[in-house]
Amino acid sequence: MSILNTEARPGEEAEDTAPVAVEVRGVHKWYGTHRVLDGVDLTVAPGEVTVILGPSGSGKSTLLRVINHLEQPQLGHVSLGGEPIGVRWHRGRLRELSERQILAQRSRIGFVFQNFNLFPHLTVLDNVAAAPVATGRLRKPEAQELARDLLGRVGLAEKVAAFPRQLSGGQQQRVAIARALALRPGVILFDEPTSALDPELVGEVLAVIKDLAAGGTTLLIVTHEIGFAREVADRVVFMDGGRILEQGSPAEVLDHPQHPRTREFLSKVL
């Protein structure tokens, strides 16, 4: 399927040579007559923590899925480190890559879902070690050693032999974060990582994400946790109706929003 042709290719900026981790340019996504994303442009610098806010149905989760190419945009493109994701240039247009090529690219993007998505038949250790083995990056003993290190990093060193059903929701989400880290991705996407958790478990997951942010990992986080956004975000993006209506520092967007829709949304959640 052909994708929108643009005058500049991903990563080509005439005036700006600053490094870019993620670039979303002119992305449109629709289902039938319902337009979910309506011309989204977003640039994320390496090491930047971007928090995406907005009401339900605003396109936040779909944007993450397009970045990871779990959803294909009808128009526009996404690039990671200057390389188009899911497509390649052919005779001046972007064309879809093979599934094998897309999977190889996707391994550079960690994704932490709302509902954990752990393999129920595998231990915690094997859940984390599975991806490096499946992609051929590490042999099983090396992958398990890495998994032990990562589980220690998220505070679950004692749970390596447990199965997901034996863990709390917060613990399962921490395993999911360790799994996302196992491929050493260039960026990690979080789709409302605390929305499926009981309130008392939210803090333990947010603490792990804060550690990642402090360590310089590039993060895009969809969340309703406004206090968390204020604390960890370098930039806050507000979406509604499939568009980015406002973006800036937490102080700019959360304390002094300019768009009426942003002010209306924050008045209901703060």
Side-chain angles (χ1 to χ4, degrees):
M1 175 181 177
S2 65
I3 310 297
L4 176 69
N5 189 17
T6 58
E7 294 181 359
R9 296 190 178 194
E12 291 183 355
E13 296 289 344
E15 302 295 333
D16 187 2
T17 58
V20 173
V22 178
E23 180 186 31
V24 179
R25 185 179 293 183
V27 164
H28 294 254
K29 177 69 181 178
W30 57 82
Y31 303 102
T33 59
H34 178 50
R35 191 175 294 269
V36 185
L37 298 176
D38 189 10
V40 174
D41 292 300
L42 179 66
T43 301
V44 180
E48 186 175 38
V49 179
T50 300
V51 172
I52 305 174
L53 303 176
S56 297
S58 60
K60 309 182 302 296
S61 295
T62 301
L63 176 59
L64 293 192
R65 293 177 68 84
V66 166
I67 290 173
N68 201 39
H69 211 71
L70 292 171
E71 298 277 358
Q72 181 179 342
Q74 276 88 352
L75 297 173
H77 62 254
V78 175
S79 63
L80 180 67
E83 178 185 346
I85 297 298
V87 293
R88 63 179 174 83
W89 286 100
H90 179 70
R91 297 180 179 178
R93 298 186 68 85
L94 288 168
R95 301 283 180 173
E96 186 79 1
L97 293 175
S98 69
E99 185 61 27
R100 179 182 59 81
Q101 291 170 314
I102 292 171
L103 287 173
Q105 288 188 325
R106 196 175 285 147
S107 69
R108 298 165 52 201
I109 308 172
F111 203 128
V112 179
F113 298 87
Q114 297 180 35
N115 295 312
F116 326 135
N117 286 7
L118 301 178
F119 296 114
H121 62 290
L122 296 180
T123 65
V124 164
L125 183 70
D126 287 336
N127 262 281
V128 177
V133 174
T135 57
R137 294 192 181 186
L138 296 175
R139 293 177 299 173
K140 187 173 181 178
E142 297 167 330
Q144 289 185 332
E145 181 179 357
L146 172 63
R148 291 180 189 277
D149 289 341
L150 292 173
L151 288 166
R153 183 175 174 182
V154 299
L156 292 173
E158 78 286 359
K159 297 293 186 179
V160 293
F163 288 89
R165 65 180 180 275
Q166 298 172 311
L167 304 180
S168 70
Q171 290 171 332
Q172 289 186 61
Q173 193 62 294
R174 284 188 279 156
V175 173
I177 293 171
R179 181 181 59 184
L181 290 168
L183 288 173
R184 299 184 175 92
V187 59
I188 302 179
L189 313 177
F190 291 86
D191 187 9
E192 300 194 28
T194 61
S195 65
L197 302 179
D198 292 333
E200 65 268 23
L201 302 177
V202 168
E204 65 186 64
V205 173
L206 295 184
V208 172
I209 300 175
K210 289 177 187 176
D211 286 343
L212 294 177
T217 305
T218 306
L219 308 177
L220 275 81
I221 308 167
V222 168
T223 184
H224 290 295
E225 300 285 342
I226 304 298
F228 173 70
R230 189 187 303 277
E231 185 175 351
V232 306
D234 297 305
R235 182 161 42 134
V236 174
V237 173
F238 178 74
M239 292 186 67
D240 193 28
R243 299 179 179 181
I244 293 177
L245 300 185
E246 187 166 355
Q247 59 181 301
S249 70
E252 290 170 335
V253 176
L254 300 179
D255 298 332
H256 304 286
Q258 299 301 304
H259 197 283
R261 186 68 185 92
T262 313
R263 292 196 294 269
E264 179 187 3
F265 173 79
L266 291 173
S267 70
K268 296 178 180 178
V269 298
L270 289 178

